[in-house]
Amino acid sequence: MSTGDVLAAQISAPHINYGAIAPLLIVLGVGALGVLAEAALPRAYRYLVQVLLTLAAQVAALVIVIVEGVRHYASNPTLTANDALAVDGPALFLQGSILILGILATLLIADRRLERGGAFVAEAAVVAGTEADAKQARHQPSQTEVFPLTLFALGGMMLFCSANDLLTMFVALEVLSLPLYLACGLARRRRLLSQEAAVKYFLLGAFASAFFVYGMAMLYGFAGTVELHGIATAALSSNKSDLLMFVGLAMLAIGLLFKAAAVPFHVWTPDVYQGAPTPITALMASCTKIAAFGGILRVLYVAFLDSRWDWRPVLAVIAVATMLIGAVLAVTQTDIKRLLAYSSVANAGYVLTGVLSMQKSGITSSLFYLVAYGFTVVAAFGLLTLVRDADGEATHLSRWAGLGRKSPLLAGTFAFLMLSFAGIPLTSGFTTKFAVFGAALDGGQTALVIFGVISSVLLAFPYLRVIVLMYLQEPAEDAPTVAVPGAMTATALALGTVATLVFGLAPSLVLHVAQGAATFVG
């Protein structure tokens, strides 16, 4: 027998259940098709083709996720691709949430009615501030490369939620991150601010990825495998030094908490949220946060739930710091995008509170929180795109004075979303906080709940300040205009706002689905 025959006998191809991973294949495959369309199609046809491809891919993948969840994999989870991918309840729920919110974000990205040519620059390589840059801003439509970038980012997020080993998780982390680094620097207006945001996000994200890889190496040295189930077994019975596990988990957590925007790994969040095109900010604030916590939940609940080292006190300190620092810094902001950025930081702390219950109710409440918060934050950033002046979006707080008199519908909708962020009853913000705090109490995390309530009270101030500005102050003479949304933006706003109301009035259906999905494979 030849050497080649011996190697062929020793190396067998992994079994892959293509039906189980069909949503991933559709999203990433159509993303690749979108790249080919950019090269093959004339510029006049690219926009329509890319929008249709992007929306069709997400809708098709969502239908398959729902069918898989209802028929089989939520109640009978499985592993595929040589156990690298998990197809279970949390993966399907999070993938479905990412796709739904991705569709809403895509509608915001695709709308070209609010600004001539769209929110994205026509040629990113043109130097900002030059005559050529001013010319393209006035006359040329947005580039359409942002659509395949969006699909690749969404595909990476879906893969991140279902990764069952650290190597696959790292690949997914890069697949979701690299398109976002590029998309953050593609704003048509305030290009220098946008490019600065992209560079900051890229550099800090590269450091976070390096920490993740270093942690993976330490855990491989400790467990002899990068599979989560193998790490869980080693965490209970390995005779190797626990120092490898401590360092590995700490480094791994840095990479994961960076994506979740948890303190002290949150410093990129306000600058990136402010500088990125607002539709991309909406995508990151909703879908990226879901993916990040999907990875955190899987690592903690599958690999380290029963480890010899009790890591919960360390994560509890991070959760408290995230809630309080996010709330305090939100109070000091004068720009609405930065306010919502620090609000996102504080909300990451609330989700961590649910995660730390270490019970099934913690998974259920965290899943519910992520999807409900995603709808609200997409609608909030969508409304920001409508308030405009000569420089584009008017995001400074002072520019929103008297907006309630000028546009009662927009002001009323934004006030409702602010009340939801504040956790007022009859909104999704109240039911989600009630769910995660209840799960934390069940898990014995009373101190976390107390700090969470204090943080919620502090955060109510900046939200109410926006409402007071809109209704109780006189508008300036040069007050910004309120644009009429196009059909795509209006659809995204309507769905986000209605979901915020429905999840506040009748959350039982989504909670029931989340509860049924709250079991990791193995």
Side-chain angles (χ1 to χ4, degrees):
M1 182 179 293
S2 66
T3 304
D5 293 335
V6 173
L7 291 175
Q10 291 176 345
I11 301 174
S12 59
H15 172 70
I16 299 177
N17 185 340
Y18 289 101
I21 63 172
L24 274 172
L25 298 178
I26 290 173
V27 172
L28 294 175
V30 176
L33 184 62
V35 174
L36 295 178
E38 284 295 313
L41 293 177
R43 181 181 292 272
Y45 298 101
R46 291 177 192 171
Y47 170 75
L48 179 60
V49 171
Q50 293 286 19
V51 171
L52 293 177
L53 280 176
T54 305
L55 291 175
Q58 293 176 75
V59 171
L62 178 61
V63 170
I64 296 177
V65 166
I66 294 173
V67 171
E68 288 181 347
V70 171
R71 287 188 176 181
H72 186 67
Y73 295 113
S75 57
N76 298 288
T78 186
L79 297 173
T80 187
N82 202 25
D83 295 346
L85 296 177
V87 187
D88 53 14
L92 293 173
F93 185 94
L94 293 170
Q95 287 179 353
S97 302
I98 288 170
L99 288 168
I100 293 172
L101 296 172
I103 290 171
L104 300 188
T106 301
L107 293 175
L108 297 179
I109 291 170
D111 198 319
R112 289 185 169 183
R113 179 170 179 174
L114 296 175
E115 184 165 358
R116 183 176 180 179
F120 297 90
V121 68
E123 296 182 31
V126 174
V127 178
T130 61
E131 183 178 347
D133 183 38
K135 181 179 179 180
Q136 72 166 352
R138 291 192 301 267
H139 303 295
Q140 297 184 30
S142 296
Q143 61 180 348
T144 50
E145 289 94 336
V146 68
F147 294 103
L149 289 177
T150 300
L151 283 178
F152 284 130
L154 292 173
M157 295 172 196
M158 294 168 65
L159 181 62
F160 196 74
C161 293
S162 61
N164 193 54
D165 66 57
L166 298 180
L167 188 58
T168 304
M169 190 171 286
F170 172 70
V171 172
L173 179 66
E174 295 306 297
V175 172
L176 77 89
S177 298
L178 292 175
L180 292 178
Y181 298 153
L182 294 173
C184 285
L186 298 181
R188 177 179 290 269
R189 305 268 188 160
R190 301 169 183 169
R191 288 193 60 206
L192 289 177
L193 187 64
S194 176
Q195 293 172 358
E196 178 187 351
V199 171
K200 287 181 178 178
Y201 194 22
F202 168 70
L203 292 177
L204 293 175
F207 282 119
S209 297
F211 278 111
F212 187 97
V213 172
Y214 188 72
M216 179 172 62
M218 293 295 102
L219 290 173
Y220 180 78
F222 172 74
T225 180
V226 293
E227 290 185 1
L228 299 182
H229 297 91
I231 295 172
T233 301
L236 285 173
S237 57
S238 176
N239 56 6
K240 295 184 180 179
S241 171
D242 286 346
L243 182 62
L244 287 173
M245 182 177 70
F246 300 159
V247 175
L249 179 56
M251 298 297 102
L252 200 70
I254 290 175
L256 294 171
L257 294 172
F258 173 86
K259 283 299 176 186
V263 172
F265 316 110
H266 69 291
V267 292
W268 61 273
T269 312
D271 291 337
V272 173
Y273 276 33
Q274 183 182 25
T278 301
I280 299 299
T281 306
L283 177 69
M284 291 192 295
S286 55
C287 298
T288 305
K289 192 171 290 291
I290 290 176
F293 275 102
I296 290 171
L297 283 166
R298 189 170 295 278
V299 168
L300 295 182
Y301 277 77
V302 176
F304 294 100
L305 181 63
D306 298 317
S307 67
R308 298 191 299 267
W309 177 46
D310 187 6
W311 42 264
R312 285 179 294 179
V314 177
L315 203 58
V317 172
I318 292 176
V320 170
T322 301
M323 291 186 288
L324 293 181
I325 292 176
V328 170
L329 292 179
V331 172
T332 66
Q333 300 307 308
T334 58
D335 184 276
I336 297 182
K337 290 181 78 172
R338 294 182 71 89
L339 188 158
L340 292 178
Y342 282 112
S343 168
S344 176
V345 172
N347 278 276
Y350 301 143
V351 181
L352 281 175
T353 300
V355 171
L356 284 168
S357 72
M358 304 313 294
Q359 296 180 345
K360 185 175 181 179
S361 62
I363 303 175
T364 301
S365 61
S366 298
L367 296 178
F368 175 56
Y369 198 109
L370 290 168
V371 65
Y373 174 77
F375 276 105
T376 306
V377 78
V378 166
F381 280 112
L383 283 172
L384 282 182
T385 64
L386 303 182
V387 183
R388 313 185 70 84
D389 55 21
D391 296 325
E393 297 164 1
T395 60
H396 197 278
L397 276 176
S398 62
R399 306 291 287 157
W400 286 57
L403 199 64
R405 303 178 186 180
K406 193 167 188 177
S407 179
L409 179 59
L410 182 143
T413 305
F414 199 74
F416 172 70
L417 297 176
M418 291 295 101
L419 293 176
S420 178
F421 284 132
I424 301 301
L426 304 182
T427 66
S428 63
F430 173 79
T431 54
T432 52
K433 288 182 175 64
F434 187 87
V436 293
F437 290 164
L441 287 175
D442 292 340
Q445 300 291 336
T446 306
L448 278 181
V449 175
I450 293 173
F451 282 110
V453 172
I454 294 173
S455 169
S456 299
V457 173
L458 291 174
L459 262 179
F461 174 77
Y463 301 141
L464 295 177
R465 181 175 60 176
V466 175
I467 298 174
V468 169
L469 270 173
M470 291 191 297
Y471 286 100
L472 299 182
Q473 290 198 9
E474 295 291 334
E477 292 183 2
D478 59 342
T481 60
V482 177
V484 177
M488 288 184 282
T489 295
T491 301
L493 294 178
L495 291 176
T497 306
V498 169
T500 301
L501 178 63
V502 170
F503 291 166
L505 296 176
S508 55
L509 176 59
V510 181
L511 279 170
H512 177 72
V513 175
Q515 185 176 15
T519 302
F520 289 100
V521 61

